[in-house]
Amino acid sequence: MTEIILEIKKLISEYWKNIFAEVCDAVVYVDHCAIECLHWYTAGKGYLALKDAGAVAVYEFGMYHFRYVEVKDTKKAVIISTSGDPAFYQRTIKMILAKNTFQNCIVYCSVPCDTINHLGTLSAEEKLDYNKLKKDIKVWMTSGNLSQEPVVDIIYVPIFIALLNKDLFVTPPFGDLMPSLDTNIPKDTFVKLNFLAYSFYNLFDSIGAKLDIYSLGNLSDHLAKNLEDYMSSINHKSHLSETSEIGVSLILIDRTLDLCTPTSNNMESFLAKILRTFPHLPHHDNDVAINMSLLFGSVTEVLKSYEIPGCLASMEDEMMDLLISQKGKKLLNTVNQFLNDITLTKGSPKLRTPTRISGHSLEKLLSKIQSTNNIDSMTIHTEKLQCILAIIKASISQKADQIELLTSLEKLALQNLSVSRESSSILVQLSNIIRTRIHRGLDVENLLALLIHVYSLAGTQIRFSTQQERRLEESIADAIFEDFQILKESPLMNTKSAYQRNLLLLGGDDVAVAQETSCNIAARILDTLRLIAEQRLILQDYRSCMLKPSPQESTRYISILEQVTKDIFSVDISRELRDLHKKSSSFISAGFNLILGGKTKRHPRDNPYILIYVVGGITAEEAKVIQEVVSAHSNEKSPHIILAGSRLLNPLDIVDKIFFS
């Protein structure tokens, strides 16, 4: 594990240990983003960690929770929140305190007090003022007829990182950040960007890092500017004479510059297949729910805990590395070895290795183990069994055929665009596929992801004809209206996607209104696709995501992340990375740069560590590619690369965020 990750891990551990020290005999309220950070810190055992620390009860809380129960036998409340909205605290905490009579209340908040809002983006009512909130909480507590003065404390704790493995992390409180497709930045996005900048400043300051900041994209430029402002105003005053220990190049990249990669169904990384197969854990963006009841049969009172699904967070770093880097065949061999290891325990019958290892053959082996082993021997291997189940179920999922078809359509689009260029007929073919989607076992959401993929891949270098786009728009409008009719006749009982929720708003029983709205949505989708194609216009070196290595080799798509990483490791040290905008790390470096006419240019490789953060999220595939690039160029002088992003993405996440949020 690298020095910088060890320092970050120690810092996160310190934050949570300080919180655990205060939860004894208290009722704990935690918001969803803090729960997700705790979930990864405790390897999926967040609730148990709080209970083991002495919490009387643990509850989720949020802006739209309205049922907070009275908790007896405790006079202390601990609230852990990542929200920066004062209205959130006014509403939720007031409702909690109205139900209870607490003598002591501690609020751990990952957003700092309003004194750090030096950019002037918020009005007084929108700023999170710790002093005002503290006074309000005391008023709400005393209204419960307390016998003595209540004790209230509000503590800043920058909980915003979830470490997925030694070189990969996400930031759940900023999971909904996505750069807009135009240059306008909504106010709420700008405010979140400010909080993210301060969180990064606090993180790097705490671990003693000297930063060189680079940015790629409009939103990343703003994030870099905010971070630079914090470093200049705060560092200049209090840390000017200190010598930093860790040199870090922070590269910030807008997700929207490359929407081709997150909408691809390429499953070179098996983790991507798992993320597509299993549902998310409730209120989680970065972990999945693996049904463990298949291993333990019908649930009795003794086995009630096994109703809780398995998850990725409980897997060791080595296993997460394998899920990221390995293809299905190698992982199936790993699962076979795991199953054999389980049978080596006392009393287990020896397994016969199948001649051809597949998901189905391993499922049969697992079923045999389950039928011949007692519950105790199975529970010993719970964490390993979660991994086994995830790999087997992802291998035999019914979604596999659909994903295979979508992957073949991606390859068709790439071949068509690379060969035919302006005369490409790919939109005509996709229009026909949309019209015949039901017979092919495809749905509109996955086809919209494919369209994002195609337009992002084409960029502005390949223009589609007006006639083709008009035909595509008509096909989309018809498909949306057909889906609305289907949904109206057979309402879904389960959780609906953002697309399905939009369908329910089309026009009730008025067919004409529903058809007109379908056409309007289709027109908006085409406008959005054209904007997606224009995202890389601002770039000089990374305008294309298509690469033809040699005349003998076929064209493949190449992500911006892969291009940037390869350029960082390029042997041509003199080559300027023109699209990476460099920010000064301090007034001193800015001053020298000014004196020398801007000629002192540092390279990201000048530091021993490089952290690449993608605003909008990252994919398992990108984590795999980074591993491969680093491995191919690794030597003693090579910098260590860490990948991070707002969240883990799959194609449908992009569809929801780009079209329906």
Side-chain angles (χ1 to χ4, degrees), residues 134-187:
K134 190 172 181 177
K135 288 176 185 176
D136 288 341
I137 291 174
K138 281 192 174 184
V139 170
W140 300 329
M141 290 173 77
T142 51
S143 64
N145 299 318
L146 293 178
S147 57
Q148 60 190 70
E149 180 76 10
V151 178
V152 179
D153 207 358
I154 302 176
I155 302 168
Y156 171 59
V157 181
I159 298 167
F160 78 109
I161 285 177
L163 286 168
L164 307 191
N165 77 350
K166 65 183 186 302
D167 294 320
L168 184 69
F169 71 79
V170 290
T171 54
F174 305 99
D176 60 349
L177 269 181
M178 180 65 73
S180 58
L181 295 173
D182 55 28
T183 55
N184 297 320
I185 301 177
K187 185 177 180 180

Side-chain angles (χ1 to χ4, degrees), residues 41-333:
Y41 169 65
T42 59
K45 296 179 177 136
Y47 173 79
L48 290 176
L50 289 168
K51 291 293 286 182
D52 288 346
V56 174
V58 181
Y59 295 103
E60 294 179 357
F61 81 115
M63 182 63 116
Y64 301 106
H65 287 198
F66 301 107
R67 295 183 181 178
Y68 294 106
V69 300
E70 180 183 358
V71 184
K72 297 179 181 179
D73 303 322
T74 182
K75 294 294 182 183
K76 183 178 180 181
V78 173
I79 296 168
I80 309 167
S81 173
T82 60
S83 174
D85 182 5
F88 175 82
Y89 295 90
Q90 291 284 330
R91 179 168 188 156
T92 54
I93 297 179
K94 189 174 183 178
M95 288 177 68
I96 289 168
L97 296 177
K99 294 272 188 179
N100 296 278
T101 309
F102 296 127
Q103 189 68 49
N104 191 335
C105 181
I106 301 177
V107 179
Y108 288 100
C109 182
S110 72
V111 174
C113 189
D114 68 341
T115 53
I116 65 100
N117 181 38
H118 68 284
L119 299 178
T121 55
L122 297 177
S123 65
E125 294 76 22
E126 294 171 309
K127 293 178 181 178
L128 183 57
D129 185 336
Y130 282 14
N131 293 325
K132 182 181 183 305
L133 181 59
K134 190 172 181 177
K135 288 176 185 176
D136 288 341
I137 291 174
K138 281 192 174 184
V139 170
W140 300 329
M141 290 173 77
T142 51
S143 64
N145 299 318
L146 293 178
S147 57
Q148 60 190 70
E149 180 76 10
V151 178
V152 179
D153 207 358
I154 302 176
I155 302 168
Y156 171 59
V157 181
I159 298 167
F160 78 109
I161 285 177
L163 286 168
L164 307 191
N165 77 350
K166 65 183 186 302
D167 294 320
L168 184 69
F169 71 79
V170 290
T171 54
F174 305 99
D176 60 349
L177 269 181
M178 180 65 73
S180 58
L181 295 173
D182 55 28
T183 55
N184 297 320
I185 301 177
K187 185 177 180 180
D188 60 338
T189 298
F190 203 88
V191 170
K192 275 216 161 185
L193 216 61
N194 191 16
F195 293 150
L196 177 57
Y198 188 79
S199 298
F200 270 134
Y201 161 73
N202 187 281
L203 170 71
F204 291 118
D205 184 59
S206 298
I207 65 175
K210 178 182 178 297
L211 271 189
D212 286 324
I213 310 168
Y214 303 83
S215 58
L216 187 61
N218 183 43
L219 200 64
S220 290
D221 285 346
H222 279 84
L223 177 56
K225 174 68 167 58
N226 285 5
L227 179 52
E228 183 190 31
D229 286 347
Y230 284 125
M231 293 172 65
S232 299
S233 61
I234 303 174
N235 257 1
H236 184 62
K237 294 174 185 174
S238 57
H239 299 290
L240 202 56
S241 62
E242 293 182 14
T243 304
S244 297
E245 297 175 0
I246 307 173
V248 179
S249 294
L250 174 64
I251 301 175
L252 306 167
I253 301 177
D254 278 11
R255 175 75 276 168
T256 44
L257 293 174
D258 174 14
L259 291 175
C260 181
T261 304
T263 50
S264 173
N265 288 280
N266 183 352
M267 296 296 170
E268 292 290 304
S269 168
F270 202 85
L271 179 59
K273 187 174 283 190
I274 289 174
L275 292 171
R276 287 298 307 266
T277 302
F278 294 94
H280 279 125
L281 282 170
H283 308 298
H284 284 245
D285 288 332
N286 305 289
D287 208 345
V288 296
I290 303 164
N291 186 356
M292 297 293 288
S293 64
L294 298 170
L295 293 172
F296 299 101
S298 58
V299 177
T300 64
E301 197 60 40
V302 177
L303 293 174
K304 205 74 175 172
S305 64
Y306 293 100
E307 283 189 304
I308 300 170
C311 59
L312 297 172
S314 64
M315 298 178 190
E316 295 179 353
D317 275 1
E318 292 76 11
M319 194 61 236
M320 184 64 87
D321 286 342
L322 287 176
L323 291 178
I324 290 170
S325 62
Q326 299 293 339
K327 295 183 182 180
K329 190 174 181 180
K330 283 190 176 181
L331 279 172
L332 290 176
N333 286 322

Side-chain angles (χ1 to χ4, degrees), residues 243-514:
T243 304
S244 297
E245 297 175 0
I246 307 173
V248 179
S249 294
L250 174 64
I251 301 175
L252 306 167
I253 301 177
D254 278 11
R255 175 75 276 168
T256 44
L257 293 174
D258 174 14
L259 291 175
C260 181
T261 304
T263 50
S264 173
N265 288 280
N266 183 352
M267 296 296 170
E268 292 290 304
S269 168
F270 202 85
L271 179 59
K273 187 174 283 190
I274 289 174
L275 292 171
R276 287 298 307 266
T277 302
F278 294 94
H280 279 125
L281 282 170
H283 308 298
H284 284 245
D285 288 332
N286 305 289
D287 208 345
V288 296
I290 303 164
N291 186 356
M292 297 293 288
S293 64
L294 298 170
L295 293 172
F296 299 101
S298 58
V299 177
T300 64
E301 197 60 40
V302 177
L303 293 174
K304 205 74 175 172
S305 64
Y306 293 100
E307 283 189 304
I308 300 170
C311 59
L312 297 172
S314 64
M315 298 178 190
E316 295 179 353
D317 275 1
E318 292 76 11
M319 194 61 236
M320 184 64 87
D321 286 342
L322 287 176
L323 291 178
I324 290 170
S325 62
Q326 299 293 339
K327 295 183 182 180
K329 190 174 181 180
K330 283 190 176 181
L331 279 172
L332 290 176
N333 286 322
T334 302
V335 168
N336 184 61
Q337 184 58 53
F338 282 172
L339 291 174
N340 279 290
D341 291 345
I342 289 172
T343 60
L344 294 177
T345 57
K346 188 178 178 181
S348 299
K350 191 174 181 180
L351 286 179
R352 190 176 68 182
T353 302
T355 51
R356 182 178 176 275
I357 297 174
S358 67
H360 289 289
S361 67
L362 292 175
E363 187 182 35
K364 289 177 182 176
L365 281 180
L366 183 60
S367 179
K368 186 176 180 181
I369 291 173
Q370 190 234 351
S371 62
T372 55
N373 280 258
N374 59 42
I375 293 297
D376 288 339
S377 64
M378 294 292 281
T379 55
I380 292 169
H381 303 284
T382 302
E383 288 172 7
K384 190 171 281 188
L385 286 168
Q386 291 178 58
C387 180
I388 290 169
L389 263 178
I391 294 170
I392 290 175
K393 290 299 178 185
S395 299
I396 61 175
S397 168
Q398 293 179 347
K399 295 180 181 179
D401 290 342
Q402 185 189 56
I403 291 170
E404 191 175 328
L405 176 55
L406 289 165
T407 304
S408 67
L409 291 173
E410 285 176 29
K411 291 177 180 175
L412 172 68
L414 176 61
Q415 183 182 15
N416 198 306
L417 291 172
S418 63
V419 174
S420 303
R421 309 294 292 180
E422 296 289 346
S423 59
S424 170
S425 63
I426 188 62
L427 291 194
V428 174
Q429 296 174 62
L430 292 178
S431 297
N432 293 332
I433 288 166
I434 290 170
R435 292 189 182 281
T436 58
R437 70 195 181 284
I438 295 173
H439 301 296
R440 297 173 185 268
L442 297 172
D443 56 63
V444 168
E445 288 165 281
N446 275 296
L447 288 170
L448 288 176
L450 180 60
L451 287 173
I452 293 174
H453 181 86
V454 169
Y455 270 80
S456 182
L457 189 63
T460 53
Q461 298 168 313
I462 299 171
R463 298 284 185 180
F464 299 116
S465 72
T466 304
Q467 186 180 0
Q468 283 193 44
E469 288 195 327
R470 190 181 299 117
R471 183 171 174 179
L472 176 64
E473 185 178 326
E474 289 170 359
S475 297
I476 294 170
D478 290 345
I480 290 171
F481 180 70
E482 287 167 14
D483 281 359
F484 166 68
Q485 295 286 75
I486 293 168
L487 190 61
K488 194 172 72 168
E489 291 169 11
S490 308
L492 294 173
M493 299 304 292
N494 298 326
T495 304
K496 299 173 182 66
S497 67
Y499 168 67
Q500 290 163 339
R501 289 195 297 273
N502 272 264
L503 287 182
L504 294 175
L505 302 174
L506 280 189
D509 296 325
D510 194 324
V511 174
V513 170

